[in-house]
Structure formats: structure tokens, C-alpha cells
Amino acid sequence: MSTQTPYPTQHPYPQQDQYPRQDQYPQQGQYPEQGQYPQQGQYAGPTAFQAPIPSPAPAPTGSGASRGGWARPAAIGLAAGALSSLLTIGGMQTLAPVATTAPTAAAPAAVSGSASTTGWAAVASAVAPSVVSIGVTTAQGAGAGSGVVWDAAGHVVTNAHVVAGAGTGATITVTLSDGHRYDADVVGTDPTTDLAVLQLRNAPDGLTPIDHSATQVGVGDAVMAIGNPLGLAGTVTTGIVSAIDRPVATSASEVGSSQPVVTNAIQTSAAINPGNSGGALVNDAGTLVGINSSIASLTQGSGQAGNIGIGFAIPTAEVDLIVPQLISTGTAQHAYLGVGSRDAVATTDGASVTGAGIEQVVGNGPAASVLQPGDIVTAIDGAPVTGTWSLIGHVRALPVGQQVMVSFVRGSQPMSGQVTLGQNPNS
């Protein structure tokens, strides 16, 4: 077992009556005084966890839902090298019934960041028609998120946690950048990757699908986030890619998943806030590089959290893998290595390296002929594996049936072997 000090987890979605009226914005002198911002040491205490075993296991008992029927967050610990219990940014909170008015879509509302090397105004103008605002209303309340137009048929991609509470009797509305609003239905959700697909009813002609042809993204690349933060439709912010393949884990109960929600995510400094969930992260050519999904937060408890310059997006390659399956069948298959692991440290050539220590190998599973208990996996197809979450993230981003080269340490000897990924029986 390993423990880490996790970031607090909470549902950040604002109630519709919590947006400030025009006369409620702070007056001069009403901003917090120095010393009122969160102080060092306000992170939550350590939480023990059991490393997830990606082998067949019964689903946990109980739905994890609150009295109001919305999924509640459950803080989960995280192995070394991965962020824990991140704040998801666009779905539902247990809300009292409120009178709601869906936010009105608009042209890009604000651009922050430097435009000295990139024509962000042109990028924002080009991408705005492909990004939508999403509202979900139930008897318990309402919440808002973002999405992207996927194709001309009216499919919209968003996060699973944005529509996680949209059960019987819920209404989903999608507002285009021109202000036209359409009812929508859920085509399929994949809680494990936190992706969902909606279908517009009476989809109009002339939709502008997002360009998702980007195949690579690198640390330092300029990016722009666009979405519906705090109900402010069409808001764009800019920054850079801070890291790639960053293993992040969010609460499984939040999206109704029986397995941990783990993504080898794109980390960005572009400002992302509640309501950005499901929106676009694009490069300086206006091409989708990821779907914004979570942010790290310094806030404890149930207080509303905001941007601290560390946000995460699901890479386009993973979105491209999952979305066509959801459109076709409403569900998605996931790749499967057939091992159980925990964080471990290997020593080889006089140096230490972190990886995923194999504790269990499923008999006749995909990795049975290559790995054995005690091995420490350090890379998949040359991409570093820094721990259990990293291993899970790498495997889930690949298609069933793909052959991968697994690098590992046995004793102190570096080794490798080829594995053909199977289909996870839990997906």
C-alpha cells in the first residue's frame, strides 16, 4: 500500500441561482484581503488506497448516490506520480429544486493570455461554432457543462459526468454558438474514460464539426480552452501544454463507474473552471487536442473551487477511440492487460526507477506468457510507466487487439516482451 496527500474532490457545479446578478459583482474594497486566500497546509490528509486490479472483479455494492439521486464524490488515494481525486468540472451536484434559465450562448466572450505569437482571435472565431453549452435539468436541480459538435449528423461529445444525473425525466438542452437551443438525448456514455455522446433532436443543417485530426501534442505547445465556465458561454482562455501522459484519477462514483476513472491526460495552464467540462482544448491551428475534464483544486470540503493553472484534458487519440463506439453501440470496449499491480520501485544498472509492480497475473490472460508476479513494468511501447495509474491509463488509451511492447524489470534485469491486449471483461 502507498499513501499520498490527495487534492480535495468535490462537485463544483454552480446552482443556476448562484450566478451573480449585475448588482452583485464586488465593489471596490470587497475583494479578499491579503491572507484570505488558501494557506499552505490546507490540502486534505492522506488517504490509504488499494491499487486497482484490472482483472475481473464484482462491481461494488451500492450506487454511491446521494439522497437527491446525484452521484457523490468519493476521495480515492493515488500512487506516486499521479494526481489524486481531481475536481471534475461540468456535471451535477445534489441541488435543491430551483427556477433555472439556461445560459445564452454567445460569440467568444474573453481571450486571456498572450497573443504575441498566435492569432488567437482568429482561432477563437474558427472554433466557436464547434463548441456548445449543455444544460441538464432534473427534479433535483440543474447544472451546466460544455461539449463539441462531432459530426454533421448532430452528435455532440461531452464528459460522462456532465450527464451522469440525466435519468428518467431529465431534460438536456444544447445551445449552439449562435444562440439556437436544441433538446438532446444521450446516445451512450463511457464512465471509465469520462466520455459521453449526445444526439441533437431535429439537428439543423450547416453544423460545424470540430476538427479532431491532430495526432500529436508536445509540452510547451500553445493551446486554447473554449467552453461554458460558470455559465459564461463562448469563453476562451489560452496557455500551454504543461505535461503529457499525466496520470490522473477522478472519483468513480461521480460517473457511476465500477472501475476507477483514470486518464493519461494532457495537463494545461489554460484557465479551466467549473462548466468547462466537455469543452474543447485546441492547438494554435484550431484543431482539437483534448476534451477538458478535470482540474486540480486547493479547496477543501464543498466550497466552490476555481482555476489554479493546472487543468486536464482527455487526449484526442483516446476520444477518437471511444466516441465512434458510443455512436455505434452506446458502449465502449476497453483494452485489458490482465494483471493486478501496485506502485513499486525497481533497481537496475545502479539506479532506481518507479513503475507498476505486478502482484497478480490472470491465468491465460493477455500478459500471462510475458509477465509474472514480482516484475515491475516500466514502459509500454517506450512510453514510461510511473505507477499503477500510469499503467492503467496507457492500456485504456489503446484499442483491443493491439500489440504492445512491455518493458519491465525482473529482479534487477531489464526485460521486454510483446503482448496482444485483450478485451476487459468488465467493459
Side-chain angles (χ1 to χ4, degrees):
M1 297 299 169
S2 171
T3 60
Q4 283 282 330
T5 301
Y7 291 97
T9 299
Q10 59 181 288
H11 288 281
Y13 317 110
Q15 299 184 22
Q16 290 288 341
D17 58 358
Q18 288 184 326
Y19 294 111
R21 300 191 306 271
Q22 186 172 3
D23 59 352
Q24 289 182 315
Y25 290 101
Q27 303 301 312
Q28 187 172 11
Q30 291 185 316
Y31 294 100
E33 300 296 331
Q34 187 172 8
Q36 290 183 314
Y37 294 101
Q39 303 299 311
Q40 187 173 9
Q42 289 185 315
Y43 295 102
T47 302
F49 77 99
Q50 175 157 354
I53 306 294
S55 56
T61 57
S63 66
S66 70
R67 290 178 295 175
W70 298 109
R72 296 296 294 267
I76 52 177
L78 189 59
L83 294 174
S84 167
S85 297
L86 294 163
L87 176 67
T88 50
I89 52 173
M92 296 301 154
Q93 183 180 14
T94 302
L95 302 177
V98 293
T100 62
T101 301
T104 301
V111 177
S112 68
S114 172
S116 59
T117 58
T118 302
W120 287 120
V123 174
S125 178
V127 174
S130 303
V131 180
V132 302
S133 301
I134 298 173
V136 181
T137 305
T138 73
Q140 287 75 38
S146 306
V148 298
V149 177
W150 193 254
D151 57 30
H155 290 111
V156 170
V157 174
T158 187
N159 285 140
H161 72 259
V162 170
V163 296
T168 303
T171 61
I172 302 174
T173 59
V174 173
T175 307
L176 305 182
S177 62
D178 61 6
H180 288 79
R181 188 180 306 165
Y182 298 87
D183 290 335
D185 300 301
V186 177
V187 173
T189 63
D190 184 42
T192 303
T193 56
D194 196 17
L195 289 169
V197 174
L198 308 178
Q199 171 68 61
L200 300 184
R201 299 179 191 173
N202 304 313
D205 295 331
L207 290 172
T208 305
I210 193 82
D211 180 355
H212 52 98
S213 62
T215 56
Q216 292 184 335
V217 63
V219 175
D221 285 355
V223 288
M224 181 184 75
I226 179 168
N228 182 34
L230 305 177
L232 303 173
T235 296
V236 302
T237 54
T238 63
I240 63 168
V241 172
S242 308
I244 58 174
D245 289 336
R246 179 74 78 195
V248 298
T250 54
S251 170
S253 65
E254 193 167 356
V255 291
S257 175
S258 61
Q259 300 183 65
V261 182
V262 182
T263 303
N264 275 6
I266 298 169
Q267 179 180 321
T268 179
S269 65
I272 296 174
N273 285 284
N276 269 120
S277 266
L281 186 71
V282 300
N283 61 19
D284 55 7
T287 305
L288 186 75
V289 297
I291 295 293
N292 298 317
S293 63
S294 57
I295 56 177
S297 171
L298 303 182
T299 303
Q300 296 190 69
S302 60
Q304 180 81 359
N307 169 66
I308 59 170
I310 301 178
F312 302 95
I314 304 165
T316 298
E318 188 164 350
V319 179
D320 282 337
L321 176 65
I322 299 298
V323 167
Q325 297 182 67
L326 295 181
I327 293 174
S328 176
T329 67
T331 61
Q333 297 179 349
H334 298 285
Y336 172 67
L337 191 58
V339 300
S341 66
R342 62 175 296 172
D343 292 345
V345 178
T347 300
T348 179
D349 296 329
S352 297
V353 60
T354 59
I358 302 302
E359 294 191 322
Q360 174 188 355
V361 179
V362 176
N364 298 319
S369 63
V370 175
L371 297 173
Q372 64 186 37
D375 293 344
I376 300 176
V377 177
T378 57
I380 297 287
D381 278 345
V385 170
T386 57
T388 289
W389 298 128
S390 177
L391 177 61
I392 294 172
H394 278 300
V395 172
R396 284 187 181 166
L398 298 172
V400 175
Q402 180 159 324
Q403 290 186 332
V404 296
M405 185 62 66
V406 179
S407 302
F408 58 96
V409 176
R410 180 171 293 166
S412 59
Q413 182 65 36
M415 304 180 71
S416 63
Q418 194 170 70
V419 174
T420 300
L421 300 176
Q423 180 183 340
N424 191 324
N426 292 329
S427 65

